[in-house]
Amino acid sequence: MSVTPAEARIDLDAVRDNVAALRGRAAPAALMAVVKADGYGHGMVPAARAALAGGAHQLGVAHIAEALALRAAGLRAPVLAWLTTPGDRYADAVAADVELSAGAGWALDEIAHAARTTGRAAAVHLKADTGLSRGGATPAEWPDLVAAAAKYEADGVVQVVGVWSHLARADEPGHPSIARQLAAFGAALDQAAAAGLRPRLRHLANSPATLTLPAARYDMVRPGLACYGLTPVPQLGPPATFGLRPAMTLLGRLAGVKRVPAGAGVSYGHTYVTDRETTLALVPLGYGDGVPRAASSRAEVLLAGRRRRIAGRVCMDQFVVDLGDDAASPGDEALLFGPGDAGEPTAQDWARLLDTISYEIVTRVGARVPRTYTGTGV
Ligand SMILES: *Cc1c(COP(=O)(O)O)cnc(C)c1O
């Protein structure tokens, strides 16, 4: 069996159990597990299978290509793709029974055209912009969008199965924008009903809303991050507060260990200089693998029994750790982050140190890092 320099170990039981916990919390609302961006770095297809094993009713992705990759892997569960551009693979999506979002007239027209050429009705989720000012129809555009959708539905070209929106500040429970968005969503739903639409799936809640805002659950919740065991509201406690367990452990196996004298400049720019004779360990992960260069001399890894700060610059493929007089051998595992069981940092620890969010830490783990899977989630 060959051993790789680095590895992202994914605990599929954790994904399955996280989804089951979220589903229990959101019930009787259904759950769409969001597996975009390669399942937030965890591997889209295995993550999707584990989520379905945990009781997810449906899958959600950004791009049509992601939805088609799920279909190509043999997954038959309902899938929604919500981020499309003119000329996109709408016909392939309709033919593969992929549900599509339309937040503008042009998108609805593209979907209707694809449905006509494919010879089957397209399942559409109409997207309202309730205050995020990202995708979706503004309140001014919404009446025309629902009227156009009602007409296409009457023609048998599309079926409006959902009406949905997205929250801007759900990770700040109690923020006044949340109540404003709920009210705007209610108004959008009323207008859709007045236009004769009867969507069976009204959905608004991302992970933070699923965890903290029962009023946002409607017919279905749409968590991503929480499925992977990370919390979007770290100010409310660690993932276990919500019955969640981080699924990804990122590790590198030491590619070298050596003694160097005092005064040795370490890594590019010599931003770290040894203050005495010491042992340096070389970890084969770098910004080419998604380890942020901003982690230079900041983030910590678990190595040789305790946490140690990265010594100097993170390079494209590697970084150095100063072990002092502690011992380690080539091949030993350095844990960058994981659930924290062994004392390793968490993705949230990395996020806090780097002034970002745990979403970015796990999602940016690069394609060069092999994902290995444990557990029986599939
Ligand atoms: C990514 C995404 C989600 C999932 O968000 P999380 O905060 O990870 O739960 C839900 N809906 C939309 C539209 C998204 O883009």
Side-chain angles (χ1 to χ4, degrees), residues 1-2 4 13 16 19-20 30-31 90 109 115 120 124 136 151 214 237 247 254 276 288 309 320 329 349 368:
M1 200 186 90
S2 70
T4 55
D13 284 352
R16 179 197 61 194
V19 169
L31 186 145
Y90 295 99
D109 293 343
R120 57 191 296 176
V124 171
K151 187 161 184 315
L254 299 187
R276 60 186 176 124
R309 186 160 295 123
V320 176
S329 304
D349 291 331
R368 184 166 62 177

Side-chain angles (χ1 to χ4, degrees), residues 7-19 39-43 46-47 50 224-231 239 244-250 337-341 344 346-347 362 371-375:
E7 184 178 326
R9 213 173 264 159
I10 312 299
D11 178 357
L12 293 175
D13 284 352
V15 175
R16 179 197 61 194
D17 295 347
N18 292 331
V19 169
Y40 290 47
H42 295 67
L225 187 78
C227 299
Y228 307 100
L230 299 169
T231 172
L244 303 173
R245 176 173 168 75
M248 182 190 291
T249 298
L250 180 62
F337 57 81
D341 297 350
E344 77 277 16
T346 62
V362 290
R371 273 63 170 174
T372 59
Y373 296 95
T374 63

Side-chain angles (χ1 to χ4, degrees), residues 248-266:
M248 182 190 291
T249 298
L250 180 62
L251 64 94
R253 299 190 172 85
L254 299 187
V257 179
K258 64 186 171 194
R259 285 299 272 183
V260 298
V266 176

Side-chain angles (χ1 to χ4, degrees), residues 111-339:
I111 294 167
H113 179 72
R116 287 206 171 95
T117 56
T118 312
R120 57 191 296 176
V124 171
H125 296 239
L126 296 178
K127 182 165 197 190
D129 179 0
T130 57
L132 178 61
S133 303
R134 211 172 67 176
T138 63
E141 298 166 334
W142 186 248
D144 285 349
L145 185 66
V146 295
K151 187 161 184 315
Y152 280 130
E153 198 168 67
D155 292 347
V157 181
V158 310
Q159 196 192 350
V160 177
V161 297
V163 168
W164 72 300
S165 188
H166 197 40
L167 294 166
R169 307 182 75 162
D171 56 342
E172 301 170 65
H175 191 276
S177 69
I178 296 171
R180 285 199 296 271
Q181 285 201 261
L182 287 172
F185 190 54
L189 290 170
D190 289 346
Q191 289 178 0
L197 300 176
R198 296 289 176 268
R200 102 192 120 68
L201 294 170
R202 301 160 298 164
H203 52 108
L204 181 61
N206 53 3
S207 290
T210 301
L211 296 175
T212 69
L213 192 66
R217 286 176 191 152
Y218 295 96
D219 303 309
M220 182 166 73
V221 297
R222 220 170 51 232
L225 187 78
C227 299
Y228 307 100
L230 299 169
T231 172
V233 283
Q235 71 274 27
L236 300 183
T241 313
F242 301 102
L244 303 173
R245 176 173 168 75
M248 182 190 291
T249 298
L250 180 62
L251 64 94
R253 299 190 172 85
L254 299 187
V257 179
K258 64 186 171 194
R259 285 299 272 183
V260 298
V266 176
S267 194
Y268 291 130
H270 284 175
T271 59
Y272 184 87
V273 179
T274 60
D275 58 4
R276 60 186 176 124
E277 184 182 307
T278 191
T279 297
L280 299 180
L282 187 60
V283 180
L285 279 162
Y287 60 80
D289 304 295
V291 177
R293 188 165 176 275
S296 300
S297 291
R298 296 191 78 147
E300 294 179 333
V301 306
L302 179 70
L303 175 57
R306 62 181 190 83
R307 285 200 199 184
R308 303 162 195 278
R309 186 160 295 123
I310 293 172
R313 295 255 169 88
V314 172
C315 312
M316 188 180 293
D317 315 302
Q318 46 197 310
F319 62 81
V320 176
V321 176
D322 186 344
L323 292 176
D325 290 328
D326 293 341
S329 304
D332 285 358
E333 291 182 359
L335 300 189
L336 282 72
F337 57 81

